[in-house]
């Protein structure tokens, strides 16, 4: 791993841990709002590389509201369909009355809408986990499992990687790296069970370590797909050694909904 990547992790991980573990949940909600806004900005900038013209300011504003609904519903008694409808109508009406040519309207609307839900809504699941019972423990659990997976996959792939996992999207990832990531994630899940999550059974720790890695890997592939489509290597440069916010959080975007719904069924 590069020295910039290691130094960034040394600085950022304790800060994130302090906000999640030590502070009231509204602080983490605020952090998630900022992170989602940065992620949406990166997403819309990538789309502009392909000639699209999303309504970035509107999309980011709607994304902020969507993340905040995970902390506290803005309109009581309304389900998720209300927010989806509101976002879609506002984006379509804004494009309808925008002083732009008719051409490209489908792309502009679709990309603006996707930015709200791919980035902001999926970020919001982390807030929803934090707001749940024992939320800070589960959120830290997810972070540690995903980070362990990333580390295990990197070292296993670097030293043992022979078989490409999905070269069309990510030519450097290997089957051996995925296996190393799964094993590291399972080990981290069991350590968390012993350290601060005794409610987890051995079977659950093993299962969650496995499914969170699979979800995180798919999230990584999806972001790689979007970057390749946009012709960029990284989504941004805000985190030295890691790239952009989406580069750092792509796995979490898919892992968080999986963990949230798992906890809902538990």
């Amino acid at each position: 791993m590069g020295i910039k990547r290691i130094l960034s992790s040394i600085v950022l991980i304790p800060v994130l841990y302090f906000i999640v573990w030590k502070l009231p949940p509204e602080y983490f909600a605020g952090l998630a709002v900022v992170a989602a806004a940065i992620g949406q900005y990166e997403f819309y900038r990538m789309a502009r590389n392909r000639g699209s013209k999303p309504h970035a300011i509107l999309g980011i504003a709607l994304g902020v509201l969507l993340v905040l609904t995970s902390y506290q519903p803005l309109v009581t008694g309304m389900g998720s369909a209300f927010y989806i409808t509101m976002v879609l109508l506002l984006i379509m009406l804004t494009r309808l009355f925008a002083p732009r040519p008719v051409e490209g309207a489908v792309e502009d609307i679709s990309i603006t809408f996707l930015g709200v839900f791919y980035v902001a809504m999926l970020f919001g699941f982390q807030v929803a986990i934090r707001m749940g019972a024992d939320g800070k423990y589960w959120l830290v659990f997810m972070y540690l499992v995903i980070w362990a997976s990333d580390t295990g996959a990197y070292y296993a792939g670097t030293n043992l990687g022979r078989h490409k996992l999905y070269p069309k999207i990510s030519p450097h990832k290997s089957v051996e790296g995925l296996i190393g990531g799964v094993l590291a994630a399972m080990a981290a899940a069991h350590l968390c069970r012993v350290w601060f999550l005794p409610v987890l059974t051995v079977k659950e720790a093993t299962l969650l370590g496995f499914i969170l890695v699979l979800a995180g890997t798919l999230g990584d592939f999806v972001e790689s797909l979007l970057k390749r489509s946009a012709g960029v290597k990284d989504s941004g440069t805000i985190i030295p050694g890691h790239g952009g916010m989406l580069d750092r959080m792509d796995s979490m975007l898919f892992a968080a909904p999986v963990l949230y719904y798992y906890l809902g069924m538990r």
Side-chain angles (χ1 to χ4, degrees):
M1 291 187 179
I3 186 65
K4 288 184 177 180
R5 188 180 182 94
I6 295 173
L7 291 175
S8 295
S9 299
I10 290 173
V11 172
L12 294 176
I13 289 176
V15 172
L16 181 60
Y17 169 80
F18 180 77
I19 292 174
V20 173
W21 195 273
K22 299 296 184 180
L23 295 181
E26 53 264 29
Y27 288 89
F28 178 72
L31 177 65
V33 164
V34 173
I38 295 171
Q40 278 187 269
Y41 172 78
E42 293 174 349
F43 175 80
Y44 291 138
R45 186 174 58 183
M46 287 194 297
R48 288 195 185 97
N49 278 358
R50 302 295 296 173
S52 299
K53 298 179 180 179
H55 292 276
I57 295 176
L58 175 64
I60 291 171
L62 292 172
V64 167
L65 293 177
L66 204 58
V67 174
L68 289 176
T69 62
S70 299
Y71 173 69
Q72 183 174 332
L74 303 180
V75 182
T76 57
M78 295 295 184
S80 58
F82 168 79
Y83 297 102
I84 295 173
T85 303
M86 179 188 71
V87 169
L88 180 58
L89 291 179
L90 286 173
I91 291 173
M92 295 180 77
L93 290 174
T94 298
R95 183 60 176 86
L96 174 65
F97 295 109
R100 296 182 182 179
V102 171
E103 291 76 19
V106 172
E107 292 81 2
D108 296 347
I109 292 169
S110 301
I111 291 170
T112 305
F113 187 77
L114 180 60
V116 174
F117 286 92
Y118 165 58
V119 183
M121 186 189 75
L122 296 185
F123 256 105
F125 278 99
Q126 295 180 54
V127 179
I129 292 171
R130 178 63 181 88
M131 296 300 296
D134 297 325
K136 66 180 184 180
Y137 303 108
W138 288 110
L139 201 56
V140 170
F141 168 81
M142 182 186 74
Y143 290 151
L144 292 177
V145 166
I146 295 298
W147 290 335
S149 168
D150 289 344
T151 303
Y154 175 82
Y155 284 108
T158 300
N159 295 295
L160 303 173
R162 297 292 184 273
H163 303 86
K164 300 297 183 182
L165 182 60
Y166 196 11
K168 182 178 79 170
I169 300 298
S170 188
H172 299 298
K173 292 189 182 300
S174 65
V175 174
E176 292 82 1
L178 176 62
I179 294 172
V182 168
L183 294 176
M186 288 180 176
H190 284 285
L191 287 175
C192 291
R193 182 181 67 85
V194 174
W195 178 20
F196 60 83
L197 262 181
V199 295
L200 268 181
T201 65
V202 172
K203 181 179 179 180
E204 275 188 306
T206 303
L207 175 64
L208 278 174
F210 179 72
I211 63 175
L212 289 179
V213 170
L214 293 187
T217 301
L218 292 174
D220 186 293
F221 280 151
V222 166
E223 202 231 351
S224 294
L225 171 68
L226 296 174
K227 289 190 295 185
R228 285 186 172 276
S229 175
V232 298
K233 181 178 183 295
D234 295 316
S235 66
T237 58
I238 193 171
I239 306 176
H242 293 274
M245 185 64 67
L246 287 180
D247 296 317
R248 179 64 275 179
M249 299 301 291
D250 53 1
S251 297
M252 306 295 180
L253 292 181
F254 275 45
V258 170
L259 179 59
Y260 174 79
Y261 287 115
Y262 177 86
L263 295 175
M265 296 183 294
R266 191 171 182 269

